[in-house]
Amino acid sequence: MRSGWMFKLRLDLVSLPFPWQFSGKLPAARTHSDKSMSALETPIYRFAGFELEPAERRLSAAGQSISLTPKVFDTLVLLVQRAGHVVSKDELMKALWPRGYVDESNLTKHIWLIRRALGTGEQDSLLIETVPKVGYRFVAAVNVSQAAQTVVVTPPATPALSRQTLPAPRRLRLWAAATSVGIALTTAAVWRLAVMPVTTVTAGSGARAHTVALIGFSNLSRNAKDAWLAPALSEVLGTELNTAESLRVIPDELVHDASADLPPAAAGGYGPDTLERLRRRLDADYIVSGSYLVTGSADNAPLRVDIALQDARDGSLLASVSNQADETQLMALVSRAGAALRNKLGAPPAAGAATPALLAREQPPSVDVARRMGFAIDALQHYDPARARDQLLEAVAEAPGYAPAYTRLAQAWSALGYHDKALAAAEQAARYAASLPAEQRLLAEAVAAATHPDWAKAVASWQALVLLKPQNPEYRLKLIDAEAAAGMASPAQATLADLQRLPGAAEDPRVELAAAEVASSRSDAKDAASHSASALRLARRRDANGLIADAQLALAGARMFLNQNEEARADLAQGIGAYRTIGNPHGEAATRAELAKVLGNLNRGREAHEEYQHAMALYQGIGDVGGVADVYRDLCNLLWVAGDRDGAQTAARHSLELARQTDDLRLQTWTLRALATIASDDSASDEVASEFQEVIALSERDNDRGGHVWSLAAYADTQRLRGELDEALKFCRQALAEAAALSDPQFAVYSGFTCALVDMDRGAAGAARSKMERVIREVGPGGGTTYRNNSLMNLAQLDMDEGRWSGARDFLRRARAGFAAADEQTGEADASAMQALCDQALGDAAGGEEAATRARTLRRSITSRQEVYVVDIALARLGDAKAPRGATPQRLLALAADADRRHFLGWALEARLAAWELESAQGDAAAEDLRREIEVSAGRHGYGRILRRLQART
């Protein structure tokens, strides 16, 4: 019977991001529409509210950069350069991939990602028109300019598009809150601080820390080369303000979400309505905003920086800071401004805070390093870790030993999916951070420990940070993450209780999400769902789309565990919309992948496949190899249960290739196990058995408890197929015992199912039936279908062995309907063929013909091998009225010989037993010799079920 070997596999793989590496620019494509541009060395294309600057590799709208991967950017450039004209698919393919063949689906994904980035939806053609069977046409009016020059390119017979017809461009959300990295220089300067006539704010010891949100700095020059200044300014101000115990700087991730749909602040800050929205979304007491203007292109060009500090509670302007200088003086100026703002807030450095000399070690040693750090932070904020990595490697080369650069580099490598490189950078950061202030040193140590992962050490580091900053909820949230990951349920619960006692915690959605995480660590899905729902209510009250999306994803996960798949589907659909609202492609991709799993649970295989494709395109667009590999893994499972052995094998190989590239041992173990299982579908050879033993060793080395259980059970199933039933029983029992210690029931389900198959082959029908019934109960009515339907089919086989044809047919009808609903063609074919045998035994000719016809139809499209012996043997037993006498037994014996070649002893005995039954019924003289052959082989290997059937029919 079918083993359902990859049923909803969840091995807690770390989804480490990965980039598709693209290189080079598109060759110039000259047409009449761009001849007038040839004199422009650095053209800027403007269309529908967007600006495209090929020389700067920049796409923007309303002053905000929109991140595209290099090849996607090149595709857009080529289409815009040829605006109004069809660019054929062949031309695009040759221009984008000149060195070799790439599947056309890659081009389709690029167009989908461009449309999504431009806010035109996945299918419509407001900007890019699809010309069926030919290519694509950019249909918006395009203005081309450089400095004072302007060239207008109007597509023929195409009306200009109004920007108002398109959704506003989206700001991107960070996938991980970055540690604070001070970027400041020690040059002296003097700020002009204009202080508003308001009273100084004070906070006594033990009072609630005042929260400050740094909304960011607008680049008034709109020049891409100056983009590094915005994140650098925010980092310096954040570092300076964070030295005060009575102030807490809100993480960038939350600020990005809350300000995604807001216009840039005016010179004096935000108006009352916008300020109130920020206060509500962020629970912020103070808002810091600003802008900068660079005049000229020299490295030391003059610039002006304006900073506004506002009280979010009453809208008053507390301070306005402005100054003019050159770039070499900027960081020192901003550092002084930060100190002035902190003093205005009545928030001196905390007792025991680092000295100025110690704080200076956080600062880049040169303007060039500061610039690279700024560009790297900007790249990370815009989901471009490859660009961040390149900048950070240069920063490290220019300033070896500069710890903050290594911290950011570890983040970039992790986002690219390179675990070992991320770990090396994190270790370097921790090493060089030894000379930094205590907070930065502990942060570096915590990140390095979590990257290993060494959860005990990570817990200790976060505990030290909690003691250092007891009013800071961020460190308590991180501590809960580490304690939950370490399996420290009780300490996590205690940390949560402390967090809940902090001022404002009752209204913070993240605290409820932490409570949901603690509940999940206790396998209390009901409590996790309750806290996730509470987090969702609080996030909606705040109008915080990022937290809304996070809460919906958490709620869907809990509901999936509770088999509430329809409710989970609705949560995930809304979560996708929320992530898109804040421009978070990583969150959207992860949510789409989860939605695909839910759709699989709901037997919507085609829709699930489409969601996986969307997730794949998004992951590729942002360069997330962990996400790409996970989708390949899930597609492998989807294709396998659909009977597409070759497709499943290809998907698994892609996943393994990515896992080896990024040194992801756990994913390597999974894909090697999948490939071994697929290979075992063709042959249960000694080589395959050896591969499973290697996978077991890998899972032990990685301390992957769930993967170890799965590997043991898969090896047991292979040994069962080979006829090594004693060995199979030993390993399946070990798997079942280890699964009992795990909270996730999938491992107990698979182990129990495998042990039931071993019991069945050994002739322990009662034990097998009991285990199959338990599997059905554990899966539940709303769970995945694969194991439930396979268990129903095996219960039917047990009834058929005892001649209870009516009961067996009932089981098979249920299994057949379940397989059909889930689009699992192999299972449906097996159940249909077995039902035809039952119908034949019950004299239902019409029912038998319908079931047999369906089985034959499905069989033609199935490429898996081991699992189709059921349908092949059953169809052979049904016979062909036109076939000559003896043809059917010969067909069955041919199946047995094929099974022998593939080391499938159980199937070989099954086919020979069926052939013997037909020969005996026909009075064939060879029947007795065949019976003795079956009896000897089954007795030697312990196939009690075969021996019992042989004896019952003798």
Side-chain angles (χ1 to χ4, degrees):
M1 295 299 129
R2 308 177 70 237
S3 62
W5 55 276
M6 279 188 275
F7 165 65
K8 303 303 172 196
L9 182 57
R10 291 169 43 238
L11 296 183
D12 298 323
L13 296 176
V14 179
S15 292
L16 295 179
F18 161 57
W20 294 96
Q21 295 294 335
F22 301 115
S23 61
K25 295 184 178 180
L26 287 173
R30 295 292 181 187
T31 67
H32 76 274
S33 66
D34 63 339
K35 288 178 182 178
S36 57
M37 305 176 207
S38 59
L40 301 178
E41 296 180 0
T42 56
I44 299 175
Y45 302 90
R46 295 184 174 88
F47 54 87
F50 295 91
E51 282 192 0
L52 180 66
E53 302 172 72
E56 298 290 343
R57 308 290 292 173
R58 182 172 184 258
L59 172 68
S60 62
Q64 298 295 328
S65 294
I66 299 172
S67 181
L68 297 175
T69 59
K71 273 289 191 287
V72 176
F73 185 90
D74 291 341
T75 307
L76 176 60
V77 170
L78 185 54
L79 291 172
V80 171
Q81 286 179 341
R82 301 278 297 278
H85 299 273
V86 176
V87 185
S88 71
K89 293 180 181 179
D90 287 343
E91 185 176 353
L92 286 166
M93 297 284 283
K94 290 177 182 177
L96 294 165
W97 296 280
R99 297 180 182 176
Y101 173 77
V102 176
D103 191 89
E104 188 179 303
S105 63
N106 286 345
L107 177 60
T108 304
K109 291 175 183 176
H110 282 86
I111 299 297
W112 183 81
L113 288 166
I114 292 172
R115 285 173 170 162
R116 183 183 179 283
L118 299 181
T120 62
E122 299 175 7
Q123 300 297 333
D124 55 33
S125 55
L126 291 174
L127 296 181
I128 301 175
E129 176 188 7
T130 300
V131 182
K133 299 183 179 180
V134 180
Y136 302 94
R137 179 191 291 117
F138 197 83
V139 296
V142 179
N143 291 332
V144 188
S145 64
Q146 182 190 36
Q149 295 177 295
T150 300
V151 180
V152 180
V153 180
T154 304
T158 303
L161 290 177
S162 168
R163 183 70 185 100
Q164 283 70 32
T165 65
L166 303 176
R170 295 170 299 277
R171 192 187 294 248
L172 299 179
R173 182 184 184 218
L174 291 174
W175 58 80
T179 57
S180 177
V181 180
I183 303 178
L185 303 179
T186 57
T187 55
V190 178
W191 278 93
R192 175 173 54 83
L193 177 61
V195 180
M196 302 299 107
V198 294
T199 58
T200 299
V201 181
T202 60
S205 61
R208 173 184 183 271
H210 292 294
T211 53
V212 182
L214 280 71
I215 303 303
F217 288 81
S218 301
N219 180 1
L220 299 182
S221 64
R222 304 183 69 180
N223 193 326
K225 78 178 185 64
D226 302 320
W228 69 277
L229 288 166
L233 290 168
S234 295
E235 287 284 318
V236 173
L237 281 176
T239 300
E240 186 66 44
L241 295 173
N242 204 44
T243 61
E245 186 174 349
S246 60
L247 294 179
R248 178 172 66 84
V249 178
I250 296 174
D252 283 346
E253 183 178 62
L254 299 178
V255 174
H256 274 280
D257 291 352
S259 60
D261 59 346
L262 301 180
Y270 287 103
D273 292 342
T274 303
L275 209 60
E276 168 57 25
R277 292 171 70 184
L278 286 169
R279 187 199 64 77
R280 184 177 70 254
R281 291 177 178 181
L282 295 169
D283 190 26
D285 298 316
Y286 304 105
I287 301 295
V288 176
S289 60
S291 62
Y292 61 93
L293 175 66
V294 179
T295 306
S297 58
D299 288 342
N300 60 344
L303 62 99
R304 178 186 177 88
V305 178
D306 296 293
I307 303 174
L309 170 66
Q310 293 177 275
D311 191 322
R313 297 163 295 188
D314 60 20
S316 60
L317 180 63
L318 301 181
S320 176
V321 178
S322 61
N323 197 272
Q324 290 184 339
D326 60 54
E327 289 187 7
T328 61
Q329 297 175 305
L330 174 66
M331 293 307 168
L333 298 179
V334 177
S335 181
R336 290 174 178 269
L341 294 177
R342 178 170 44 75
N343 290 334
K344 175 58 187 174
L345 292 172
T355 64
L358 196 57
L359 286 171
R361 296 176 183 175
E362 294 183 69
Q363 303 165 357
S366 69
V367 176
D368 287 339
V369 174
R371 182 180 291 109
R372 293 196 183 281
M373 292 292 293
F375 275 128
I377 296 169
D378 178 73
L380 289 170
Q381 290 174 347
H382 290 87
Y383 292 93
D384 193 350
R387 180 162 61 94
R389 173 205 57 196
D390 294 343
Q391 291 288 344
L392 291 164
L393 287 172
E394 293 292 340
V396 167
E398 292 179 26
Y402 178 50
Y406 284 103
T407 299
R408 293 289 186 179
L409 183 59
Q411 183 184 359
W413 279 126
S414 180
L416 293 171
Y418 292 86
H419 178 268
D420 284 356
K421 291 180 183 292
L423 177 58
E427 292 284 6
Q428 291 279 48
R431 173 188 171 194
Y432 293 122
S435 61
L436 292 182
E439 186 173 5
Q440 281 63 42
R441 174 177 54 79
L442 289 169
L443 278 169
E445 290 175 357
V447 170
T451 307
H452 265 287
D454 182 346
W455 293 117
K457 188 173 181 179
V459 165
S461 296
W462 291 119
Q463 285 174 335
L465 283 162
V466 167
L467 291 174
L468 187 67
K469 289 290 183 73
Q471 290 288 320
N472 190 336
E474 314 304 327
Y475 295 150
R476 294 182 191 271
L477 290 167
K478 291 292 186 182
L479 176 56
I480 290 171
D481 289 341
E483 288 171 333
M488 301 166 61
S490 295
Q493 186 67 54
T495 303
L496 174 64
D498 289 340
L499 174 62
Q500 290 169 332
R501 284 190 284 269
L502 287 181
E507 298 301 317
D508 191 339
R510 297 176 304 158
V511 175
E512 283 298 299
L513 287 173
E517 181 181 13
V518 172
S520 295
S521 70
R522 302 193 313 266
S523 298
D524 188 343
K526 186 175 180 180
D527 196 35
S530 175
H531 284 294
S532 297
S534 179
L536 182 57
R537 286 192 298 272
L538 292 174
R540 283 173 172 163
R541 189 181 303 166
R542 282 193 177 189
D543 188 30
N545 281 316
L547 292 174
I548 288 172
D550 293 343
Q552 285 170 324
L553 186 57
L555 181 57
R559 284 175 166 168
M560 287 171 66
F561 201 90
L562 294 169
N563 291 326
Q564 298 172 357
N565 288 295
E566 277 293 353
E567 294 86 346
R569 183 194 62 77
D571 291 329
L572 292 168
Q574 293 176 33
I576 288 170
Y579 280 126
R580 294 198 68 179
T581 297
I582 61 173
N584 182 352
H586 186 273
E588 181 186 345
T591 309
R592 286 186 180 275
E594 288 300 303
L595 179 57
K597 295 174 185 176
V598 171
L599 290 169
N601 291 345
L602 292 170
N603 305 326
R604 300 182 185 180
R606 193 176 303 278
E607 294 175 64
H609 192 273
E610 290 174 359
E611 287 300 334
Y612 279 133
Q613 292 298 328
H614 284 317
M616 176 80 77
L618 287 166
Y619 280 134
Q620 289 174 340
I622 59 179
D624 183 346
V625 70
V628 172
D630 283 349
V631 172
Y632 274 128
R633 179 196 64 186
D634 293 336
L635 282 172
C636 173
N637 183 35
L638 190 70
L639 292 166
W640 178 260
V641 297
D644 188 350
R645 174 186 180 276
D646 298 334
Q649 188 175 53
T650 300
R653 284 174 176 165
H654 282 310
S655 189
L656 179 60
E657 179 182 359
L658 299 180
R660 283 175 170 164
Q661 181 175 340
T662 59
D663 298 316
D664 187 335
L665 181 59
R666 184 157 297 188
L667 184 55
Q668 288 181 54
T669 303
W670 191 97
T671 49
L672 284 170
R673 182 168 57 248
L675 287 168
T677 305
I678 294 172
S680 72
D681 175 66
D682 185 69
S683 170
S685 63
D686 293 343
E687 181 181 0
V688 168
S690 177
E691 288 174 359
F692 273 118
Q693 290 172 341
E694 179 185 356
V695 170
I696 291 171
L698 277 174
S699 61
E700 290 173 351
R701 189 176 114 198
D702 191 39
N703 196 28
D704 179 5
R705 297 168 64 198
H708 191 248
V709 170
W710 211 275
S711 302
L712 290 170
Y715 178 64
D717 194 46
T718 299
Q719 292 296 83
R720 179 186 68 85
L721 291 171
R722 289 162 52 87
E724 303 294 339
L725 296 185
D726 289 342
E727 186 84 346
L729 183 63
K730 180 180 75 172
F731 278 91
C732 85
R733 284 178 173 173
Q734 182 182 349
L736 198 56
E738 292 185 14
L742 301 177
S743 60
D744 194 329
Q746 65 162 326
F747 302 107
V749 167
Y750 180 40
S751 302
F753 182 81
T754 303
C755 286
L757 293 177
V758 175
D759 286 340
M760 189 171 170
D761 284 344
R762 289 168 59 88
R769 186 181 295 276
S770 176
K771 287 186 176 68
M772 292 293 177
E773 291 171 346
R774 181 175 180 179
V775 166
I776 293 172
R777 289 195 304 272
E778 289 180 338
V779 170
T785 61
T786 302
Y787 286 129
R788 179 172 63 247
N789 295 327
N790 275 288
S791 295
L792 289 170
M793 197 159 59
N794 281 282
L795 289 173
Q797 182 64 69
L798 290 170
D799 279 354
M800 291 168 69
D801 289 349
E802 298 175 5
R804 295 198 292 265
W805 300 102
S806 181
R809 183 169 65 174
D810 289 341
F811 281 129
L812 290 167
R813 283 173 173 171
R814 290 167 58 191
R816 184 181 172 190
F819 283 128
D823 196 27
E824 297 182 19
Q825 296 185 3
T826 306
E828 185 186 356
D830 292 346
S832 298
M834 291 174 66
Q835 183 188 325
L837 288 174
C838 290
D839 288 331
Q840 184 184 68
L842 293 169
D844 184 356
E849 180 59 29
E850 182 276 330
T853 299
R854 179 61 177 164
R856 292 188 184 97
T857 300
L858 291 169
R859 176 65 181 87
R860 288 193 289 269
S861 64
I862 296 171
T863 60
S864 59
R865 292 186 175 90
Q866 187 261 124
E867 296 193 355
V868 298
Y869 279 101
V870 174
V871 65
D872 287 347
I873 292 172
L875 289 176
R877 289 177 61 184
L878 289 170
D880 184 350
K882 298 180 181 179
R885 179 183 174 86
T888 298
Q890 289 304 311
R891 180 182 174 189
L892 286 164
L893 291 174
L895 284 172
D898 180 72
D900 280 332
R901 287 194 297 272
R902 301 180 188 278
H903 304 274
F904 297 149
L905 180 59
W907 289 120
L909 288 170
E910 191 79 30
R912 287 191 173 93
L913 180 62
W916 170 76
E917 290 173 341
L918 289 173
E919 287 183 348
S920 296
Q922 295 171 359
D924 195 315
E928 182 58 24
D929 291 339
L930 183 56
R931 187 194 68 78
R932 282 195 294 270
E933 179 185 347
I934 296 170
E935 187 174 39
V936 169
S937 181
R940 181 186 305 125
H941 293 277
Y943 278 92
R945 174 174 168 269
I946 296 293
L947 291 172
R948 182 188 301 162
R949 288 176 58 192
L950 193 67
Q951 294 165 2
R953 289 164 175 77
T954 300

